[in-house]
Amino acid sequence: MLNLLLQTTIETDPDDWNIARFSRLEAFLSALRDDQGRPAFRVTARDRAPRGKPDPVLSTLHESNFDQVWLFAVDTGDGLAPEDCASINRFWHRGGGLIVMRDHMDLGSSICGLHGVGTAHHFHSHNRETDTGRHCGDDPACVHNISWPNYNSGRNGDFQRIRSVGSIHPVMRDRWSATGVIQYLPAHPHEGTVSAPPDNAHGRVIMEGQSVVSGRRFNIAVAFERCEQGGRAIAQSTFHHFADYNWDPAAGCPSFVTEPAGDGMIRFPDALRSTQQYVRNIAYWLNA
């Protein structure tokens, strides 16, 4: 059995994207079984301790028995202490599996201190893309003063059709799909963006989406293969692909989310099945 940590970068706040808002992901991962029918993963789900000092788990991650970490960077820039980043880096360098997710603009930018997977994420004020003109004002009607990167793939609660990039990566395989690849993920009106770091030959873009406003294509996921530098990892454009609210809006959301939700994920069950297949693929691939 592998030990899997689901971890946010904020302390528990009932009116924010705390770890309880990823309970369906936790339940799905906990229900996965190995070839002998035994639980494949022991899942621990937690928010960080109060900010302003190292988190007791994240700052000692390299000494733990966790095999992989699903990091939901839901902070506004101060979610990881330097000691947390240093330990996560050491965890990755010793071969631990990572998937690191953020959202629009500067949300989750504390992950810029992470090696490899952290440098794949681009923000408004940190690690900016060189071609920023592509990302200015993707949605001219955006709310809450959200600026680039800010891709609109659809309403929360709806699904988006995604496209595999390059040779089909193992996490993109779907034997139940007519195409043999993952076709759908939950939509979100404010996705961030990622790219393969030019100084890391082991990472590449594996998936892209398309804005429903501008028609622009944008990168959704970058995968890093195991190498002498570290373990396998994925940089994901938004944590909303895995949030309860985006799988089913009836699960509720923080009060600051005021945009109307869709119901595509409920009306089209294959979108949720596709999403869960992607989740399963990631969990098994990270430590394969």
Side-chain angles (χ1 to χ4, degrees), residues 120-175:
H121 288 272
H122 299 288
F123 297 91
H124 188 75
S125 304
H126 310 276
N127 193 28
R128 295 165 65 148
E129 285 191 312
T130 55
D131 183 17
T132 54
R134 295 175 53 227
H135 311 291
C136 294
D138 184 68
D139 184 352
C142 66
V143 296
H144 304 310
N145 297 314
I146 297 172
S147 189
W148 57 269
N150 175 37
Y151 282 107
N152 188 335
S153 63
R155 296 179 300 177
N156 293 312
D158 281 340
F159 62 88
Q160 61 177 305
R161 186 153 193 161
I162 53 88
R163 187 172 75 172
S164 178
V165 175
S167 59
I168 301 172
H169 192 274
V171 301
M172 294 297 296
R173 297 284 183 184
D174 184 359
R175 65 191 181 97

Side-chain angles (χ1 to χ4, degrees), residues 73 101-103 105 107 121-123 149 192-193 236-239:
M101 299 150 277
R102 42 72 70 90
D103 203 30
M105 201 169 167
L107 198 64
H121 288 272
H122 299 288
F123 297 91
T193 191
Q236 193 84 9
S237 63
T238 178
F239 59 80

Side-chain angles (χ1 to χ4, degrees), residues 174 176-178 183-184 265 267-275:
D174 184 359
W176 303 109
S177 166
Q183 295 188 73
Y184 308 104
M265 292 290 289
R267 289 187 295 102
F268 186 57
D270 199 47
L272 179 59
R273 186 208 58 76
S274 175
T275 301

Side-chain angles (χ1 to χ4, degrees), residues 108-123:
S109 58
S110 64
I111 61 175
C112 287
L114 301 182
H115 298 165
V117 67
T119 62
H121 288 272
H122 299 288
F123 297 91

